[in-house]
Amino acid sequence: MTFEELLAFAQRHPLLSLALVGITVALVFTEIAQLFRGYAGLRPAELVALMNRDNALVIDLSPSGDFEKGHIAGSKSVQPSQFDPESKQLAAAKALPVIVVCRTGMTAGASAKRLKKAGFEKVYVLEGGIQAWRQADLPLVKGRRG
């Protein structure tokens, strides 16, 4: 296929060409944004390995009721409105890997960015949140403590 053929196709199908350009720009933007967000995403199996290998701290941002219905063993419940990277509890964990977890993986990113700004070195987010954890058939603990 030559450039002239591609140009002719674009002229005959402007909407398809515009859609292709839009999707390409969105994909490039998304990939670049992930490179500069400051934290990494983890799959459930990677989270388990990090907890076992490096004694990682897991922060669960789920509402209290959801946390009590099921959470990752050893995780600490913190309400998003009370999340403070400068708190004494979290400040002691600056050198540890910290994994931020929410129900779906959609809201943990903002808290992870705050941790990076506060000087935490190893910050992660569980991709897909507790839902991904359940889909991986990994156990959850019920009650108030992890």
Side-chain angles (χ1 to χ4, degrees), residues 46-121:
E46 295 170 318
L47 187 151
V48 171
L50 197 59
M51 286 177 69
N52 291 336
R53 185 182 65 238
D54 295 334
N55 195 29
L57 170 65
V58 179
I59 299 172
D60 193 325
L61 300 174
S62 303
S64 297
D66 288 343
F67 183 83
E68 290 178 15
K69 289 178 187 173
H71 57 272
I72 298 169
S75 63
K76 306 297 176 208
S77 177
V78 177
Q79 298 305 305
S81 61
Q82 298 171 343
F83 182 78
D84 180 13
E86 301 297 331
S87 73
K88 290 178 184 177
Q89 290 177 328
L90 289 179
K94 278 194 176 184
L96 293 176
V98 178
I99 303 136
V100 185
V101 177
C102 62
R103 286 289 126 181
T104 61
M106 301 300 290
T107 58
S111 296
K113 285 180 185 177
R114 289 180 61 194
L115 287 170
K116 282 302 277 187
K117 277 187 178 181
F120 286 76
E121 299 170 20

